Amino acid sequence: MSGRRAAPATGAARGSGGARSRGSAPGSGNGAVRGDTGAARGGGVGLADVPPGLPGQPGSAGPPPPGGSGDTAGLARGGVANLAGAALAAVAGVGVTWLVARGLGPVAAGSFFAATSAFVLVGGIARLGTTTALVYWPARLRAQGRPELIGPCLRSGLVPVAVLGLALGIAVWLSAERFVPEYAAPLTMLALFLPVAALSEALLAATRGYRMMRPTVLLEKIMRPATQLLCVGSLAVLALSDIVSPPSTWALAWVLPYVPGAAIAGFLVWRRWHHEPTLTRRDRIAARIEGRTVGSAFWRYTAPRALANAAQTALQRVDVLMVAGLAGLAPAAAYAVAGRFVVLGQLANGSIAQVVQPRLAETLSVGDRAGALRLYQTATAWLVMISWPLHLIVATYADLYLGLFGATYTAAAPAVRVLAAAMLISTGCGMVDMVLSMAGRTTWNLMNVLLALVTMVAIDLVAIPRLGVLGAAIGLAAAVAVNNLLPLAQLATSMRLHPFGSGTRTAMALAATSFGVVPWLVRLVVPSQPVGAGAALVLAAGVYFGGLRRFQDRLGLPALLAAARPGRRNTVKTASQG
């Protein structure tokens, strides 16, 4: 006998219009949720006017809406685990980059980096923006008391990803030799795994929609990067013995770990879905979300995000391809190495965002703007606290950083400083595009990302032939500014949401003083490197940790510290960031 339970009613009371009633659901009410000014404003749904009976509303028997101190404690628990995983992934990622740069040499390394960038770019297209929707809809439907519709939403998202991933994989495999002969060999190897990689990301997003953070931490942040480091490291060891494998073999070693991750994530999603309430085929067809069929509602939200997600991935990867095409493979390798620290910051951003996404979706779905503001500001304070020291250190000691990968890469130091300045802006705005998407403003998000992408490509076409790697860095910095400052203004004017709470401002001041001003002063006294750099970092760390201790309540550190202690529940109330 199946372990799945029959679903509660999805009849007219829920807006289905014709589904057969088979029971009663607590707090079902009217499942249709209107946006704050109608769906037309953002191509989706906004802050909700939720009728009585839903959780967090007057007359509801359910729990209060997320976003209070208890939910911030949950954010801390998930954030600590995800950040720990991100730290391991960051170390492994830098290790892979170092091994490739050292083991292959500039030209072959450029071939590898260009191929992996193209692979990630095409994989972002294949995901169709579902990594946001597969978090948004399960969280929203659960908050509205309609878990029986989660299964149909998963089908609506995962099947097209699998089909498009397969089609794009075949297309890349067939066309790589014709269009990009310089790195066709590693790219055709990667193309074989494109459907698996696209499904892996989508399935992990679905686990987060069920508020399971452990699979993302274990599979995406620990298992995959560690296995990539092990596989690539084995090739690097062979290279030390003058057994140098071609870039296609290195690409195979890098992509193989996607396979077990996708299999495990798929099993976890299937097991969780198998125990959710289900609908008959007739009820599934008749079910409605906000007056639309499940598939129509899912893709009405996701379609703008699909293009935005592809454009967002292009912002992170297409510049490497443009450097390879306009300046050559060796400069492409230098640019990939120069931007490696950017990925470290993005891992921290993504780790916190993955925890915030479902909570923010639930908070906005019940109209709790204060809770959404608290989540956004707390997450941004933690992001600045973690990321700004890294970016400031790299900007100050760009020569030392690049020298780790080889003397041939140190000429890219000016590009590193430009990228570091851009990342200070990006992390200072927090996960602004994700907040905009969780609020249902996916059309706005699409326009922002497309404008940023056009800005970067236009600048790159002019600047790369003249300035090389530095020109690409300037293009990316301009795109980062557009993609963060524009949605920041949109959130502030339309929903009165912003990331600059007292905790965020404190984290910015502490990081800038400790890792910006202090190293600059030390450099005036002890200009030699690396002795001066070591002394500056020790002094900066002392100042920084002293400041964190002094302002721990304002920064929400008690919640993070309590969450980091194994076996203890986090009941610390995080200070409001007014």
Side-chain angles (χ1 to χ4, degrees), residues 362-387:
E362 293 173 12
T363 302
L364 291 172
S365 74
V366 295
D368 183 11
R369 192 195 67 84
L373 182 66
R374 182 166 48 248
L375 282 171
Y376 184 22
Q377 293 184 350
T378 299
T380 304
W382 293 347
L383 178 60
V384 168
M385 188 173 61
I386 294 165
S387 299

Side-chain angles (χ1 to χ4, degrees), residues 395-418:
T396 304
Y397 301 106
D399 295 335
L400 288 177
Y401 160 71
L402 290 170
L404 296 174
F405 299 92
T408 57
Y409 298 107
T410 55
V416 168
R417 297 187 180 98
V418 171

Side-chain angles (χ1 to χ4, degrees), residues 343-530:
V343 179
L344 300 182
Q346 289 170 343
L347 282 172
N349 191 359
S351 299
I352 296 176
Q354 287 167 353
V355 180
V356 171
Q357 267 188 326
R359 289 173 170 82
L360 192 62
E362 293 173 12
T363 302
L364 291 172
S365 74
V366 295
D368 183 11
R369 192 195 67 84
L373 182 66
R374 182 166 48 248
L375 282 171
Y376 184 22
Q377 293 184 350
T378 299
T380 304
W382 293 347
L383 178 60
V384 168
M385 188 173 61
I386 294 165
S387 299
W388 273 38
L390 167 69
H391 301 318
L392 289 167
I393 290 170
V394 170
T396 304
Y397 301 106
D399 295 335
L400 288 177
Y401 160 71
L402 290 170
L404 296 174
F405 299 92
T408 57
Y409 298 107
T410 55
V416 168
R417 297 187 180 98
V418 171
L419 292 175
M423 294 312 297
L424 291 176
I425 296 173
S426 175
T427 51
C429 294
M431 52 219 66
V432 61
D433 56 339
M434 187 272 288
V435 177
L436 203 62
S437 291
M438 290 296 101
R441 307 300 202 270
T442 52
T443 301
W444 294 8
N445 195 49
L446 170 61
M447 295 297 105
N448 297 337
V449 177
L450 288 177
L451 180 59
L453 180 60
V454 169
T455 300
M456 184 181 73
V457 171
I459 293 175
D460 282 357
L461 288 173
V462 175
I464 290 177
R466 292 171 171 80
L467 301 175
V469 172
L470 178 59
I474 293 172
L476 180 58
V480 167
V482 171
N483 199 36
N484 284 274
L485 298 180
L486 186 56
L488 185 69
Q490 291 167 340
L491 279 177
T493 55
S494 66
M495 301 176 64
R496 290 173 295 145
L497 294 177
H498 66 87
F500 305 116
S502 61
T504 303
R505 297 193 300 270
T506 300
M508 288 178 172
L510 277 176
T513 301
S514 302
F515 295 97
V517 176
V518 170
W520 177 74
L521 292 175
V522 172
R523 205 165 192 173
L524 295 178
V525 179
V526 188
S528 62
Q529 298 187 40

